[in-house]
């Protein structure tokens, strides 16, 4: 609400991509349109080191066209109230001026990447969304979820590139090994690549289920290691939770006296000391 009010006061126009694809029913065309909106080439992921850098790249592109992207794994600053990925993985709030995507920070890097694109697809359909299912779960009869999942998978693992890569790798490795290789090549999760293989008729359901269970095991092991290693840099974590454009606008509004410091603290779950440190860490309101 704060962001929308600020943008309206500045004379911001409606965002053209919100609801632009609500009549598109063909997955490939839908995915192509999303790529065009975000300025992505078909092989955009090749410039990334992995799921985290792909997520950050997409987050920046969405930010540049007007989407607020927030992420956290806890309620406010209460580390004892964690957000359970079994309850929700992400949500989107449709708005023609200030649409917002929230990502559950407790998800895996690959899960966050999938959710980010999935929720953006909902915004392109002009819908708010609560995303709480895993990609490998049984598909619902809901066409909206089906096209959002399919378009996300196509953007992460383009079929034309995937089939060619599979046919090349399968000559020297078995199906499970190929899935591991292609997950690294496409900088995404094992489950998305395995689903592509299942839908393409390259593997059977039994192997797909095995890969999906493996992905859960790897996620649980990763979370255990993170818990054992400690919390990391507090201010870096807080800065990463907050949308970069929102923070820049908030800092500017406070500096000009349009927004009270008390409101800024409330909007960022900080206080006088931690807000100043947050701004310092974020480079005056810019996320790294």
């Amino acid at each position: 609400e704060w962001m929308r009010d600020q943008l309206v006061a500045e004379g911001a126009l409606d965002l053209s991509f919100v609801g632009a694809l609500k009549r598109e029913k063909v997955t490939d065309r839908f995915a192509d349109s999303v790529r065009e909106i975000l300025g992505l080439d078909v092989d955009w992921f090749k410039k990334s080191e992995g799921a985290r850098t792909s997520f950050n790249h997409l987050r920046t592109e969405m930010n540049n066209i007007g989407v607020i992207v927030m992420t956290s794994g806890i309620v406010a600053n209460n580390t004892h109230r964690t957000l359970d990925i079994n309850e929700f993985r992400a949500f989107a709030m449709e708005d023609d001026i200030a649409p917002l995507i929230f990502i559950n920070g407790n998800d895996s890097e690959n899960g966050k990447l999938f959710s980010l694109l999935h929720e953006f697809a909902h915004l392109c359909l002009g819908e708010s969304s609560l995303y709480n299912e895993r990609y490998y779960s049984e598909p619902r009869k809901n066409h909206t979820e089906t096209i959002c999942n399919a378009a996300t998978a196509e953007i992460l693992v383009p079929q034309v590139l995937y089939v060619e890569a599979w046919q090349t790798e399968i000559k020297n490795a078995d199906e499970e090994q190929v899935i591991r290789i292609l997950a690294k090549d496409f900088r995404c999760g094992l489950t998305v690549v395995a689903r592509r293989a299942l839908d393409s008729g390259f593997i059977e359901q039994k192997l797909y289920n095995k890969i999906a269970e493996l992905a859960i095991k790897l996620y649980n092991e990763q979370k255990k290691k993170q818990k054992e290693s400690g919390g990391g840099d507090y201010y870096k974590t807080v800065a990463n939770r907050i949308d970069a454009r929102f923070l820049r606008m908030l800092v500017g509004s406070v500096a000009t006296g349009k927004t009270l410091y008390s409101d800024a603290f409330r909007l960022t779950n900080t206080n006088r000391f931690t807000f100043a440190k947050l701004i310092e860490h974020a480079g005056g309101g810019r996320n790294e």
Side-chain angles (χ1 to χ4, degrees):
E1 290 176 351
W2 183 91
M3 193 72 164
R4 180 182 174 84
D5 289 345
Q6 293 293 311
L7 291 168
V8 169
E10 293 180 1
L13 301 176
D14 289 357
L15 299 173
S16 60
F17 68 86
V18 177
L21 304 181
K22 60 185 175 182
R23 292 184 176 83
E24 182 58 76
K25 305 298 182 183
V26 180
T27 298
D28 289 347
R29 290 205 301 261
F30 191 103
D32 286 342
S33 295
V34 171
R35 286 195 195 101
E36 183 177 354
I37 291 168
L38 293 175
L40 302 176
D41 295 326
V42 174
D43 61 351
W44 66 276
F45 49 84
K46 291 185 178 180
K47 298 177 182 178
S48 299
E49 296 176 2
R52 178 176 295 183
T53 51
S54 288
F55 177 92
N56 290 337
H57 175 70
L58 292 177
R59 182 179 187 176
T60 298
E61 294 302 322
M62 292 179 191
N63 198 233
N64 289 339
I65 62 172
V67 183
I68 305 165
V69 181
M70 300 286 197
T71 176
S72 183
I74 59 176
V75 177
N77 287 320
N78 189 342
T79 56
H80 298 291
R81 293 185 64 192
T82 58
L83 302 176
D84 188 350
I85 64 166
N86 293 313
E87 294 180 0
F88 87 103
R89 305 172 77 83
F91 65 78
M93 296 178 67
E94 183 271 338
D95 189 275
D96 54 5
I97 296 288
L100 179 143
I101 294 174
F102 183 92
I103 303 295
N104 189 334
N106 288 318
D107 209 347
S108 67
E109 297 298 338
N110 291 312
K112 293 174 190 175
L113 176 60
F114 192 94
S115 293
L116 182 62
L117 274 170
H118 178 97
E119 294 306 313
F120 184 75
H122 274 283
L123 294 180
C124 292
L125 288 170
E127 297 181 347
S128 295
S129 161
L130 176 67
Y131 185 54
N132 62 355
E133 65 177 22
R134 297 183 185 273
Y135 180 52
Y136 54 78
S137 62
E138 288 299 316
R140 292 191 249 171
K141 300 300 182 181
N142 187 322
H143 175 73
T144 298
E145 290 300 311
T146 299
I147 195 168
C148 286
N149 276 343
T152 299
E154 170 61 25
I155 293 168
L156 293 176
V157 186
Q159 184 73 0
V160 62
L161 301 180
Y162 175 73
V163 171
E164 181 181 354
W166 181 279
Q167 292 173 342
T168 299
E169 297 295 342
I170 198 64
K171 297 174 183 177
N172 303 306
D174 62 29
E175 287 89 347
E176 188 169 349
Q177 290 174 317
V178 172
I179 289 171
R180 291 176 181 271
I181 292 170
L182 296 189
K184 291 181 179 179
D185 289 347
F186 287 93
R187 282 73 159 174
C188 67
L190 292 169
T191 307
V192 178
V193 174
R195 184 74 198 199
R196 277 304 214 187
L198 179 66
D199 292 343
S200 300
F202 295 155
I203 65 172
E204 295 183 358
Q205 186 73 42
K206 183 178 180 180
L207 178 56
Y208 173 72
N209 293 342
K210 178 183 176 182
I211 296 295
E213 290 172 4
L214 174 62
I216 297 175
K217 181 181 178 181
L218 292 174
Y219 164 76
N220 289 333
E221 290 175 352
Q222 179 190 30
K223 295 302 291 184
K224 183 179 179 181
K225 288 180 181 178
Q226 289 177 346
K227 187 175 181 179
E228 292 172 349
S229 64
D233 187 321
Y234 170 77
Y235 290 104
K236 183 177 181 180
T237 299
V238 174
N240 184 61
R241 293 175 188 166
I242 300 174
D243 180 84
R245 186 174 63 123
F246 163 75
L247 188 57
R248 286 196 300 270
M249 291 184 66
L250 181 61
V251 170
S253 184
V254 168
T256 56
K258 296 178 181 178
T259 297
L260 298 175
Y261 272 101
S262 57
D263 289 332
F265 302 156
R266 178 178 56 80
L267 286 165
T268 54
N269 291 308
T270 58
N271 55 41
R272 184 173 297 278
F273 174 75
T274 55
F275 182 75
K277 292 286 289 184
L278 169 63
I279 302 309
E280 178 184 335
H281 188 95
R286 297 188 303 275
N287 281 359
E288 295 178 356

